Amino acid sequence: MAEKQKSALSDKKMVMRAIKDSFIKLKPKTQAGNPVMLLVYISAALTTFPQKSKKRCRST
């Protein structure tokens, strides 16, 4: 009969390795190796953290 397989999320070692790898892949040095992903990374940062702009108020 079929044996029940263990879920990947139940393996703590695998989950911890996946979390570590995800942070390693977010490093800008790693992103620079792939130009397309570097542009996505920069665009996401610029969108997430918008620069402060000077607001012009007109008095009427």
Side-chain angles (χ1 to χ4, degrees):
M1 308 297 175
E3 291 182 29
K4 199 171 188 179
Q5 289 187 345
K6 203 174 182 184
S7 172
L9 291 177
S10 65
D11 186 10
K12 186 177 179 181
K13 185 177 179 182
M14 184 182 293
V15 171
M16 295 306 292
R17 178 65 187 187
I19 291 170
K20 181 181 174 186
D21 285 347
S22 67
F23 281 102
I24 290 171
K25 291 176 183 178
L26 286 174
K27 289 183 181 177
K29 187 175 181 179
T30 305
Q31 294 291 322
N34 186 344
V36 174
M37 288 307 296
L38 180 62
L39 288 175
V40 171
Y41 183 79
I42 292 170
S43 300
L46 291 175
T47 303
T48 304
F49 307 110
Q51 295 182 3
K52 294 181 182 178
S53 61
K54 295 180 182 179
K55 294 183 180 179
R56 296 181 184 176
C57 296
R58 277 197 242 173
S59 58
T60 56

